[in-house]
């Protein structure tokens, strides 16, 4: 409880300056915007429905990835493809739970076209109900049901590093807990474990980057590994990788050729050493960076508190200092990836 | 086949002028944009997951409705809340399958703030995996699995009135069939039949309209009835209703008091009389309009071909003449609902 009270006080103090400042930039002028899908394949099935009004047999399209984009009036930076993590959707990058500007708009205002995706089988990217309806209609046994899960608020608390365990709060932690309910509404069921490896999102990201003529793939958590897997598939369109608190980096014992010469940032928040889940992942990414750099790589692990930016949770794109972190990241992009091609 | 060839020729001729014209308006200036949720409730469950890495017990939040909005720099019209139909998401209103501007942006350019939602349990609005995992973990029998279905391409063809049956095409039909694959990618599983009546989207729409201080609820197909149900719950924020090809209008024998004095448009495309599914629905809406208007209502059924606008499918917001239809609708809004409050 002492931690909760201390954190609440710290949060209240930190909230004041942010609340007193206007949203950056005023009205926004964009060159163009829209949405589309990338990837996807047709599947014929006999268990699309158990309702009389909808036929059980037919063709559906799955594995496509929904993409919403905005291009600023005077783009100066590389397009950023923003990929969310476990149990979430592209909403991750939009308005924060407490109503502040999301990275999708902030990086746009800083000159980067932004492309926000929903992973395959998540959000606006279709899943298939066939595995459910085959069991319901007696065509398959219950143990053939898809593996689909939701992260409960209580176990998710430690995963997102709001505190060591629910409902404790790390001292000085900057996630806007007063808007916690709005964050829980972002969470959706996750079908990852019913999908092949690599996830269908991975080739879609490689294709999207190529279509954009050079993009930076920005991933988070569960999707942290996807840009690396995409680079191994096809590096043609990948101008850089930003992997935010990845669930895993590539194994240090693996082939480092796909990463040679590619600007790669692995970005970490605070309290990582206090988390039995996250500390080994940081260590794994340090091992990867050492191996990649020995083979001509340009991989950096940046740990925010080591640079004086303290208090970030796993959801650092939504923390109270999310735009400060974005500013640091924009600087890295300018230095290491450079202006648009 | 003759119909297919004729339609393809007609479509090709109609496509030429549209393709030769620039997108309306050039760069776009918006006052503000973002996303949030409305509604939602917490549920405690013991079957969130069957994976060791994620606990089965905990709390999740469901029934919330995802809302993405944009407000133009000089808003002159009422906010429009755009609600998609069966097996689709808010993507319905965004970029068309063949890459033209969606109604979300077009109405914005015409001065209306636009609010695009995903229905509860659809897209970025969370479903629950509990009904699946209770069966998978042996806590419930297969007949307790949720009712979730996908519409196959073949049966959907007639429902969307691309033709009488797959793959026939109505003569002069204006849906951009050359981009059909992109449209199929918009379709997602539909949990409607696992949800209570009214759908949790309905109170969320009433709340959203009230929060906006007077909005027009624009629904389509499956969601066609929702604005009427929302008005019956709470009319305070509802400035008007546009129901596009609703699956049902309110019963003509019901209480007409919720609709008295409210500007209501029920909008229909072409070929309705040729469709055994849609013809009775138009008749039902004509009966409703007669009953409502006898009780002080302002309900109009507008059938586009009767006004000289021919060739529209059920997806009229994506047809080749979608902006012509939007212009007509913008005129109706200006005449009947009036400028912003």
């Amino acid at each position: 409880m002492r931690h909760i009270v201390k954190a609440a006080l710290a949060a209240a103090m930190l909230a004041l300056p942010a609340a007193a400042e206007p949203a950056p930039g005023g009205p926004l002028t964009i060159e163009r915007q829209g949405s589309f899908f990338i990837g996807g394949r047709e599947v014929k099935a006999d268990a699309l429905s158990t309702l009389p009004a909808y036929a059980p047999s037919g063709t559906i399209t799955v594995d496509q990835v929904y993409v919403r984009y905005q291009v600023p009036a005077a783009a100066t930076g590389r397009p950023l493809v923003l990929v969310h993590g476990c149990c979430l959707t592209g909403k991750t990058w939009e308005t924060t739970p407490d109503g502040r500007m999301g990275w999708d708009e902030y990086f746009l205002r800083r000159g980067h076209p932004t492309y926000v995706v929903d992973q395959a089988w998540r959000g606006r990217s279709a899943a298939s109900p066939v595995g459910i309806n085959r069991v319901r209609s007696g065509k398959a046994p219950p143990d053939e049901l898809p593996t689909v899960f939701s992260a409960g608020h209580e176990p998710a608390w430690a995963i997102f590093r709001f505190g060591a365990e629910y409902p404790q709060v790390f001292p000085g932690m900057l996630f806007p807990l007063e808007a916690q309910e709005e964050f829980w509404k972002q969470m959706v069921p996750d079908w990852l474990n019913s999908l092949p490896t690599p996830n269908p999102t991975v080739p879609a990201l490689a294709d999207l980057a190529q279509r954009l003529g050079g993009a930076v793939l920005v991933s988070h958590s569960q999707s942290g590994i996807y840009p690396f897997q995409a680079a191994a598939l096809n590096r043609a369109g990948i101008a850089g990788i930003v992997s935010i608190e990845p669930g895993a980096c590539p194994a240090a014992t693996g082939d480092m050729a796909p990463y040679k010469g590619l600007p790669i940032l692995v970005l970490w928040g605070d309290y990582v050493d206090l988390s039995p889940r996250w500390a080994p992942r940081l260590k794994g990414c340090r091992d990867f960076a050492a191996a990649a750099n020995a083979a001509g790589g340009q991989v950096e692990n940046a740990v925010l508190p080591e640079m004086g930016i303290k208090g970030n949770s796993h959801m650092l794109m939504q923390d109270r200092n999310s735009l400060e972190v974005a500013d640091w990241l924009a600087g890295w992009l300018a230095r290491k990836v450079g202006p648009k091609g």
Side-chain angles (χ1 to χ4, degrees), chain A:
Chain A
M1 278 306 289
R2 199 178 47 181
H3 279 179
I4 298 177
V5 173
K6 279 177 65 178
L9 283 170
M13 290 189 301
L14 281 158
L16 287 175
E21 287 169 12
L28 172 67
T29 300
I30 55 179
E31 181 64 32
R32 56 195 164 86
Q33 63 179 2
S35 63
F36 60 89
F37 294 91
I38 194 151
R41 67 187 169 92
E42 297 198 341
V43 176
K44 290 187 192 302
D46 62 354
L48 298 176
S49 164
T50 57
L51 289 164
Y54 291 91
S57 292
T59 309
I60 59 172
T61 306
V62 293
D63 291 1
Q64 63 273 19
V65 167
Y66 169 79
V67 186
R68 181 180 68 79
Y69 71 93
Q70 293 190 303
V71 176
T76 53
R78 289 276 186 189
L80 305 183
V81 178
L82 301 169
V83 194
H84 61 84
C86 160
C87 319
L88 295 164
T89 71
K91 168 63 182 155
T92 291
W93 310 98
E94 300 178 353
T95 311
T96 66
D98 57 336
R100 290 170 292 113
M101 185 182 295
W103 279 18
D104 65 329
E105 181 175 334
Y106 192 68
F107 278 100
L108 186 80
R109 288 177 179 271
R110 295 204 51 143
H112 292 273
T114 58
Y115 291 75
V116 176
V117 312
D118 285 350
Q119 288 194 34
W121 292 58
R122 197 94 58 85
R124 291 178 172 180
S125 303
S128 164
V130 169
I132 302 167
N133 287 326
R134 283 184 56 79
V135 174
R136 181 154 169 176
S137 59
K139 291 177 172 140
D143 63 3
E144 288 186 20
L145 280 168
T147 301
V148 51
F149 71 99
S150 286
H153 303 170
E154 300 85 352
W157 188 272
I159 297 172
F160 291 122
R161 289 207 319 285
F162 303 143
E165 61 181 285
Y166 179 82
Q168 296 173 10
V169 177
F170 286 128
M173 200 278 303
L174 292 178
F175 191 80
L177 291 178
E178 76 280 9
Q180 192 64 24
E181 281 186 23
E182 178 78 3
F183 176 67
W184 295 139
K185 293 177 188 179
Q186 297 185 10
M187 301 192 72
V188 300
D190 189 317
W191 294 70
L192 174 80
N193 290 274
S194 291
L195 299 178
T197 299
N199 187 289
T201 308
V202 170
L205 292 175
D207 289 352
L208 176 58
Q210 191 160 19
R211 190 194 288 197
L212 299 177
V216 178
L217 300 180
V218 182
S219 60
H220 179 233
S221 197
Q222 177 191 71
S223 72
I225 191 74
Y226 295 178
F228 299 101
Q229 293 171 328
L233 273 182
N234 173 15
R235 250 186 67 167
I238 303 177
I241 290 174
V242 176
S243 182
I244 300 173
E245 299 217 345
C249 279
T253 51
D255 178 14
M256 293 295 124
Y259 319 117
K260 189 174 176 181
L262 189 65
I264 295 176
L265 174 71
V266 189
L267 183 62
W268 301 87
D270 208 341
Y271 319 108
V272 173
D273 291 344
L274 301 176
S275 167
R277 179 183 293 260
W278 290 105
R281 293 173 173 177
L282 172 51
K283 181 180 180 309
C285 288
R286 290 198 198 276
D287 293 346
F288 162 68
N293 292 343
Q298 304 179 31
V299 182
E300 295 173 54
N301 277 277
V303 184
L304 288 172
E306 295 176 0
M307 300 184 294
I309 300 176
K310 296 181 191 296
N312 282 105
S313 75
H314 182 53
M315 297 303 297
L316 53 82
M317 73 293 287
Q318 301 184 354
D319 287 338
R320 291 187 200 287
N321 64 341
S322 58
L323 301 189
E324 181 189 0
V325 177
D327 285 339
W328 185 89
L329 177 53
W332 184 90
L333 290 166
R335 286 194 309 276
K336 299 301 171 73
V337 181
K340 68 176 179 176

